[in-house]
């Protein structure tokens, strides 16, 4: 009889969205189908977290809705507006999108911050936000971030090779 051994891990939970703030929010302008006809028409942004031996590592990503590929990312030990602006700046630098690009996010304080809003305005990008407990982030971040989180947890469970 063949036995299958599966790794089990307990995922630590960390809240990444603080939508209880006084900053203005954008209307949701992303089509319900979550698709676009061409690249660089709409990006979806999100923050995830990974537990490491040194503490939480936060990862902000910008994903092109057309290709579902990461076009910009940033990592840091703190979940500040700089994390999301750096990810969006990388996407802008790499892809050179035209004015009118929709950048969709949740209602987190990082995405509602003045510095993030100024970045969108500087490049003539259109901000868009899900309603509270919206499904867009869950649907569009998809397998990419989930697999990254699972792999990071599996690696974190391995003993230190030293």
């Amino acid at each position: 009889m063949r036995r299958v051994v599966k790794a089990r891990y307990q995922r630590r939970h960390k809240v990444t969205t603080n939508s209880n703030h006084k900053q203005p929010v954008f209307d949701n302008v992303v089509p319900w189908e979550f698709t676009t006809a061409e690249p660089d028409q709409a990006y979806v942004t999100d923050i995830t977290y990974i537990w490491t031996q040194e503490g939480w590592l936060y990862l902000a990503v910008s994903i092109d809705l057309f290709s579902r590929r990461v076009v910009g990312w940033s990592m840091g030990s703190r979940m500040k507006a700089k994390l999301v602006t750096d990810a969006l700046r990388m996407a802008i630098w790499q892809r050179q999108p035209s004015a009118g690009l929709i950048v969709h996010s949740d209602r987190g304080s990082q995405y509602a911050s003045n510095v993030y809003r100024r970045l969108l305005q500087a490049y003539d990008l259109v901000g868009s936000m899900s309603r509270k407990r919206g499904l867009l982030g869950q649907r569009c971040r998809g397998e990419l971030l989930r697999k990254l989180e699972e792999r990071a947890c599996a690696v974190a469970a391995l003993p230190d090779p030293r």
Side-chain angles (χ1 to χ4, degrees):
M1 174 174 20
R2 184 174 171 197
R3 291 185 182 196
V4 177
V5 178
K6 289 186 179 182
R8 292 181 61 191
Y9 64 92
Q10 182 178 3
R11 180 174 175 172
R12 298 176 186 210
H13 180 72
K14 183 86 169 158
V15 175
T16 59
T17 303
N18 174 13
S19 57
N20 190 17
H21 52 75
K22 302 288 186 216
Q23 300 285 0
V25 296
F26 296 109
D27 290 332
N28 185 352
V29 295
V30 172
W32 180 246
E33 309 85 50
F34 310 112
T35 59
T36 59
E38 298 174 11
D40 301 314
Q41 290 184 332
Y43 294 165
V44 176
T45 58
D46 202 0
I47 301 173
T48 192
Y49 53 92
I50 302 162
W51 177 252
T52 69
Q53 291 180 344
E54 296 178 14
W56 292 108
L57 175 67
Y58 297 97
L59 172 65
V61 295
S62 297
I63 300 171
D64 186 342
L65 264 183
F66 178 76
S67 64
R68 305 285 203 226
R69 293 187 154 203
V70 173
V71 292
W73 58 272
S74 177
M75 293 187 296
S77 60
R78 303 194 60 190
M79 202 170 40
K80 299 288 187 180
K82 182 175 179 359
L83 186 72
V84 296
T85 56
D86 286 352
L88 184 55
R89 282 182 206 280
M90 179 188 282
I92 292 167
W93 177 76
Q94 288 192 88
R95 303 296 291 253
Q96 303 290 311
S98 57
L101 167 77
I102 298 169
V103 183
H104 188 84
S105 68
D106 59 27
R107 293 180 177 218
S109 59
Q110 299 85 356
Y111 297 110
S113 69
N114 288 329
V115 66
Y116 188 77
R117 293 172 101 59
R118 283 194 302 268
L119 178 62
L120 292 177
Q121 190 175 30
Y123 289 93
D124 292 322
L125 307 180
V126 178
S128 173
M129 290 182 169
S130 298
R131 61 181 168 76
K132 288 186 179 182
R133 295 177 198 76
L135 295 175
L136 184 67
Q138 296 168 7
R139 284 185 63 185
C140 291
R141 73 183 225 155
E143 291 298 312
L144 173 77
L145 294 180
R146 272 190 240 113
K147 286 194 182 298
L148 176 66
E149 291 164 359
E150 289 171 8
R151 287 182 183 151
C153 289
V155 169
L158 294 175
D160 190 349
R162 287 181 260 161

